[in-house]
Structures are given as structure tokens and as C-alpha cells.
């Protein structure tokens, strides 16, 4: 029994330490787009893990060979995809064949089955909110087939051993998923912190000069408007609206920037998100139909959050406006609000079928002055992100070129005083 625990610990340590090391060099991210280089790296790390597990097997009852290599196959395939998974599998198959013995075939079959199980369930696993539940389901299905295989082909060994082996298998697998999810979350928080730092810098710099610019600007605007009313100069009369437009645009940029810089001016109250969405849609409907875009929003009940109504409207309208502006020709912008009870959140999804963004463009969205529009300010998304964070919300962008963009904004639900 002591040797069993010792080898088990060795296997578990191998898997955990490789997971941590992989995360240090290639931080795990949500819905990360993996390049071939990354896929191969994750595959090789997994393969190395599986190899070490096989080198220090838990138990060699008779000529059998029990270890936790399947976890490496499952986890790598589930998170990094079939290319990485097949690298792990390939190495496992080669090394298991080299080890040899009467149970080679069954050893190979159960390894391949782990890979197949992971490929089959990958999509469901990755898109689900409860990874732990799905890892349990995958384990149950796989271990049942695994058990049946060894029950039929390997003369029954020791019932207690099976219990320990499958128990540890389950616990290690679930803990690995838990740790990876935790690392993904931590990495995201670090990224957010770095982003907020950039915002702060941009904000402070802007705040210091914005006031100085705004005051003379207001005076200039007033004079031009006043002079344009009385003047007989045709040129001046003709071009004054243009000057005023440009002045207003400059003023808007400064206001947007000040919004980022000015912290703590939010008046949080209990809000019904659905009303806010409805108002935003109605306000933007004329702009949308002018751009040949139809907006659809179906009210789905009442969802209460804590937020500042004016700011929230500004944030949501920024996103919808970007959606409309991304559509060339005709198109649709869809707005949906759905409750996610397990996370106690309301998730607002704003999707458009516009031109979408490349992976590089997606990374830049929200950075100050990033714009691809001739009349854009490149401040809209930055202000939006800031407002949403201020209300304890989260914003995520998903986009595919030529297909469109999906923006998911989530807020914690406020269940107090439920009506
Ligand atoms: P602006 O709208 O003034 O350009 P934003 O910060 O709102 O500034 O947006 C920055 C850039 O992000 C846009 O110029 C555009 O290239 C890109 N973008 C934002 N939303 C979308 C979208 N829904 N579809 C495609 N591109 C988008
Ligand atoms: Mg914008």
C-alpha cells in the first residue's frame, strides 16, 4: 500500500508541476486562439508528462501497467485540441509498445479511447459553464468503458486496487481541470490589471490638459455661432456649421476622455437592465435605419443590477453603435439578455453580422485612440470598458472576420427586495 501511495504521488506531482510550468511559459487564456507553435508546445509538454507517468507506473500487477497517462491525454486534448492531443497519444502509443508485455493491445486501446472521449466532448466541455460537472461526466463515461475493457481482457486483479486507482484517477483529473480554470482566471485578472494601469495613465494625462482646452473651446464656439448669425460673408456662413461640427467633435473627445479620467462619479442605483436596453435600442433605431441596419431586441423579463443608468446607457449605446458601424450595406444587430443563474449574472449579448475583426484588431480594441474609422475617436470602447468595470461587470469580445462580432457584457444580479 505504501508503494502504491508513493507512486501515485509521483504521478500526481508530475502532472501538476508540468501544468504549472506550462502556464508560466504559455499562460492559459479563455478561448485562446492557439497557433501551431503553441499546439505543438502544449502537446510536447503533455507527452513528456505522460511519458514520466509511464516511467513511474502506479502499479505493475502481473504484467499490467497502471498509471495516470490518460489524464495527460484527456486534459491536453480537451484544452489544446486534437493536434496537441494526438502528439501526446502518439508518444504514449510508442512507449507503451516498447514496454511490451501481454497487455500491450489493451493498453493501447484504452489510451486511444481517452483521446477519442476528449475529442468527442471537447466542444461541450469548453462551452459549458460548469467544467467540473463536465469533467465528471467525461470521467464517468470513459472510466466505465475503461473498466469494462480491463474487466474483460485482464484477469481480475484486486478489487481494492481498482477502487484506489479509479478514485485517484477521478480526483486528479478533476483537480487538474480546477487548477487550469483557476490559472485561466488569474491570468485574466493580471491582464485586466495591466489594462487598467494603461487606462489610468491615459486618464491622468488627459485630465490634466482637458480642462484647459475645454474652456477656450467653449468661448470660441460661442463666438463663431454668434458671428455666423449676423455675418454677410457668404463663405463664413457656409463653413461655420462645419467649424461648429468639428468643435463639437473635439469637445466630445475631451468629454469621453474625462469620463475615463474621472473616477467615482457614479450614482449606483437599482436598475432594470431590460428597461435600459429597451431605451438604448429605441434611441439608436433612427441611426440604425439610416444605416440600413435592423435592430432586434426581445424583452426577456426583469433583471435587476446595481448601476448608474446614464453611464450604463452610454456604454451599451457605444457597443450597439460600433455594431451598426461595422455593417456595410444591410445587416442586423441583435441584442439579448439572458440570466446565468449558476454565476448569478445577467449576460447581455450584442451581436452584429458586420465585417468583424482579425485576431490582431481584437487585441487592440479598448486601447486609447485605436480606431479604424475616418471619423472615429477610438475612445468609445475604452469608455465602455471603464464604465462596465466600474459597475462590477465584465465585457468580452468575440469576432470573426467577414462574419461579425459578438460582445458579451455581464453584471452581477441584484436579488435584494425581489418584487
Ligand atoms: P471608434 O468607434 O471611434 O472607432 P471604438 O473604441 O468604439 O472607437 O472602436 C475601436 C475600433 O474597434 C473601431 O474603429 C473598429 O475598428 C473596432 N470595432 C469595434 N466594434 C466593432 C464591431 N462590432 N465590429 C467590427 N469592428 C469593431
Ligand atoms: Mg465606437
Amino acid at each position: 500500500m505504501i508503494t502504491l501511495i508513493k507512486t501515485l504521488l509521483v504521478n500526481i506531482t508530475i502532472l501538476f508541476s508540468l501544468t504549472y510550468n506550462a502556464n508560466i511559459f504559455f499562460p492559459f487564456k479563455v478561448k485562446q486562439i492557439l497557433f501551431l507553435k503553441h499546439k505543438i508546445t502544449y502537446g510536447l509538454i503533455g507527452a513528456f508528462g505522460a511519458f514520466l507517468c509511464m516511467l513511474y507506473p502506479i502499479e505493475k500487477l502481473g504484467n499490467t501497467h497502471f498509471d495516470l497517462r490518460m489524464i495527460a491525454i484527456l486534459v491536453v486534448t480537451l484544452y489544446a485540441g486534437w493536434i496537441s492531443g494526438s502528439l501526446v497519444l502518439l508518444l504514449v502509443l510508442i512507449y507503451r509498445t516498447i514496454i511490451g508485455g501481454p497487455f500491450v493491445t489493451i493498453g493501447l486501446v484504452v489510451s486511444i479511447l481517452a483521446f477519442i472521449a476528449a475529442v468527442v466532448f471537447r466542444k461541450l466541455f469548453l462551452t459549458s459553464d460548469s467544467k467540473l460537472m463536465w469533467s465528471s461526466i467525461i470521467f464517468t463515461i470513459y472510466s466505465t468503458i475503461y473498466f469494462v475493457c480491463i474487466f474483460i481482457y485482464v484477469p481480475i486483479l484486486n478489487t481494492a486496487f481498482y477502487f484506489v486507482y479509479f478514485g485517484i484517477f477521478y480526483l486528479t483529473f478533476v483537480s487538474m481541470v480546477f487548477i487550469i480554470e483557476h490559472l485561466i482566471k488569474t491570468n485574466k485578472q493580471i491582464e485586466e490589471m495591466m489594462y487598467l494601469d494603461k487606462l489610468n495613465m491615459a486618464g491622468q494625462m488627459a485630465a490634466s490638459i482637458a480642462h484647459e482646452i475645454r474652456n477656450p473651446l467653449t468661448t470660441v464656439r460661442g463666438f463663431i455661432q454668434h458671428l455666423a448669425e449676423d455675418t454677410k460673408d457668404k463663405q463664413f456662413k457656409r463653413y461655420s456649421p462645419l467649424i461648429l461640427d468639428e468643435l463639437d467633435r473635439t469637445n466630445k473627445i475631451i468629454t469621453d476622455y474625462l469620463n475615463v479620467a474621472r473616477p467615482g462619479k457614479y450614482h449606483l442605483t437599482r436598475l432594470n437592465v431590460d428597461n435600459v436596453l429597451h431605451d438604448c435600442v429605441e434611441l439608436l433605431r433612427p441611426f440604425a435605419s439610416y444605416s440600413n441596419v435592423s435592430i432586434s431586441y426581445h424583452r426577456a423579463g426583469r433583471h435587476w443590477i446595481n448601476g448608474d443608468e446614464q453611464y450604463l446607457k452610454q456604454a451599451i449605446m457605444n457597443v450597439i453603435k460600433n455594431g451598426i458601424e461595422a455593417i456595410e450595406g444591410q445587416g442586423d444587430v441583435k441584442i439579448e439578455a439572458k440570466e446565468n443563474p449558476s454565476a448569478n449574472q445577467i449576460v447581455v449579448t450584442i451581436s452584429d453580422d458586420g465585417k468583424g475583426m482579425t485576431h490582431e484588431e481584437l487585441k487592440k480594441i479598448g486601447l486609447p485612440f485605436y480606431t479604424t474609422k475616418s471619423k472615429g475617436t477610438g475612445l468609445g470602447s475604452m469608455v465602455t470598458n471603464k464604465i462596465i468595470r466600474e459597475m462590477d461587470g465584465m465585457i468580452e469580445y468575440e469576432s470573426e472576420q467577414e462574419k461579425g462580432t459578438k460582445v458579451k457584457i455581464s453584471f452581477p444580479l441584484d436579488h435584494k427586495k425581489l418584487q
Side-chain angles (χ1 to χ4, degrees), residues 77-78 113-125 138:
T77 315
L78 281 174
L113 284 175
F115 175 70
I116 294 174
V119 170
V120 170
F121 287 105
R122 181 162 191 252
K123 202 158 180 201
L124 282 168
F125 175 78
I138 295 170

Side-chain angles (χ1 to χ4, degrees), residues 318 321-322 325 373 380-381:
N318 273 341
K321 213 158 149 263
N322 277 345
E325 285 166 349
K373 299 167 193 165
S381 305

Side-chain angles (χ1 to χ4, degrees), residues 322-323 325-326 352 356-357 365 370-373 376-381 405:
N322 277 345
E325 285 166 349
D352 65 70
M357 283 175 270
I365 192 163
Y370 169 67
T371 181
T372 53
K373 299 167 193 165
T377 62
L379 291 171
S381 305
T405 305

Side-chain angles (χ1 to χ4, degrees), residues 17 43 49 135 210 279 294 297 335-336 353 379 388 405:
S17 78
S135 41
D279 290 354
S294 70
Y297 165 62
I335 295 132
E336 265 178 351
D353 52 3
L379 291 171
I388 289 168
T405 305

Side-chain angles (χ1 to χ4, degrees), residues 287-295 323-334 351-356 402-404:
F287 176 66
S289 54
Y290 176 75
S291 320
N292 269 333
V293 173
S294 70
I295 304 191
I324 298 172
E325 285 166 349
I327 295 170
E328 289 149 352
Q330 279 192 341
D332 296 300
V333 173
K334 289 197 184 91
S351 37
D352 65 70
D353 52 3
K355 63 181 160 73
E402 306 305 328
K403 289 227 167 123

Side-chain angles (χ1 to χ4, degrees), residues 189-208:
Q189 281 165 350
I190 293 173
E191 243 177 40
E192 294 242 315
M193 256 163 55
M194 278 160 55
Y195 175 69
L196 284 183
D197 219 40
K198 272 189 202 158
L199 275 196
N200 255 342
M201 276 263 292
Q204 279 165 6
M205 268 159 49
S208 56

